[in-house]
Amino acid sequence: MLPHSFMRSALRTAHCGPLGGVIVPKQQVRLPSAVDFSTAGSNAGSQQNAVEDALSPGNVLSAASREACLRRLSRMSSLRPPSAPPPGAAKPKEAAILVSLCLVGDEVCLLYTLRSPHMSSHRGQVSYPGGMKDDEDADHEATALRETEEELGISRDQVEIWGRCPPMESANRVTCQPIIGYLGSVDVNRLEYNPKEVGDVFTIPLRYLCDENNFRYTQFRTGKGYVIPVFLGGKYKVWGLTAGVTHIFLSALLPTIYKNKVHYIKPIKF
């Protein structure tokens, strides 16, 4: 448990995040006063090589990596699991998004979109390709593929489906099912995206997302309270449901590299 002095300090130095949440800064870590730099350099070099190997396309996109990722996901919980509807209430609306792995040059990245300012909801927010499930969609995979094709012009035949992340409930009570898919090599400058739905398309390398210096989290006090990650370092800040899904996926895909954690700090009553 964190001491009250740290929690007060964190709350004083935190700044407001989206939807009234609080973005909690990282706790400062002091290095020991005496460091043996004769071994630190070689150890740092070995660690850097291990990280580069782990993030290489040959490792991340391998069949073994995919299978291990899906096994871990099957044991993981959502940061905000869908809530049960009240008795007699209508069935919750459902949506699906495509957690879009892709290759940019020789780096594995995740692809995101910036929702068009013309959209009726969530305009200007960072998201994965996706949308509401139609009655004609056979399953959530079909929804994610259809929406990706409609938004980005990427044919559903081009996407290699890996599997699913745990479902997550959005702020407006929509049950969102993340579908993991690999798009292959992507040049966002050549994508013919739909400007009515998409304002911009960008990618973030996995190494940026795994860098603890680019990680924060937003705390919400709605209901029992929950915490959602925030990723910096890209063209746009990634937050909200999109960041929550990214956090769960990276925790399963790269458990030895992605070490970021979210912690709920219980509000202090004065």
Side-chain angles (χ1 to χ4, degrees), residues 8-250:
R8 292 194 187 97
S9 174
L11 292 174
R12 283 199 301 268
T13 57
H15 54 284
C16 289
L19 305 180
V22 175
I23 298 180
V24 182
K26 294 188 306 175
Q27 187 175 9
Q28 296 298 315
V29 178
R30 294 183 180 274
L31 292 174
S33 57
V35 179
D36 184 358
F37 289 100
S38 63
T39 59
S42 60
N43 290 340
S46 299
Q47 291 176 358
Q48 181 62 31
N49 290 336
V51 169
E52 291 178 358
D53 289 343
L55 293 173
S56 67
N59 178 64
V60 175
L61 302 175
S62 68
S65 173
R66 168 180 171 173
E67 292 169 4
C69 175
L70 295 178
R71 282 198 304 271
R72 297 184 191 104
L73 284 171
S74 68
R75 301 190 296 266
M76 298 176 74
S77 300
S78 172
L79 290 180
R80 193 179 184 190
S83 56
K91 182 181 178 181
K93 294 181 179 179
E94 296 182 4
I97 56 176
L98 189 72
V99 181
S100 307
L101 276 170
C102 63
L103 202 57
V104 179
D106 59 354
E107 282 206 273
V108 183
C109 303
L110 284 173
L111 180 143
Y112 299 92
T113 69
L114 188 73
R115 288 174 64 87
S116 168
H118 307 297
M119 297 293 287
S120 60
S121 63
H122 307 295
R123 60 177 65 91
Q125 294 184 11
V126 169
S127 66
Y128 285 114
M132 301 303 296
K133 188 174 185 291
D134 288 348
D135 293 337
E136 294 77 17
D137 294 333
D139 49 30
H140 291 94
E141 284 77 4
T143 301
L145 292 172
R146 173 181 56 77
E147 288 284 349
T148 299
E149 188 167 17
E150 291 175 1
E151 293 178 12
L152 303 180
I154 297 176
S155 169
R156 61 195 71 192
D157 297 332
Q158 182 181 331
V159 182
E160 177 188 346
I161 295 296
W162 277 28
R164 297 184 173 194
C165 289
M168 191 168 173
E169 186 175 78
S170 70
N172 56 350
R173 302 291 183 180
V174 174
T175 298
C176 180
Q177 176 60 66
I179 305 298
I180 307 163
Y182 174 55
L183 307 180
S185 295
V186 169
D187 180 353
V188 296
N189 296 315
R190 301 183 66 178
L191 290 177
E192 298 181 0
Y193 60 81
N194 182 354
K196 293 182 179 180
E197 297 189 50
V198 178
D200 201 359
V201 185
F202 64 102
T203 60
I204 304 179
L206 295 190
R207 61 186 176 92
Y208 283 22
L209 295 168
C210 291
D211 187 342
E212 63 177 8
N213 295 309
N214 295 328
F215 184 80
R216 301 292 187 274
Y217 54 91
T218 306
Q219 178 166 309
F220 296 89
R221 297 176 183 176
T222 305
K224 296 181 179 180
Y226 61 97
V227 177
I228 295 294
V230 178
F231 293 93
L232 310 176
K235 188 174 183 179
Y236 303 98
K237 177 173 63 180
V238 179
W239 59 277
L241 183 146
T242 304
V245 172
T246 299
H247 173 71
I248 292 294
F249 175 57
L250 292 177

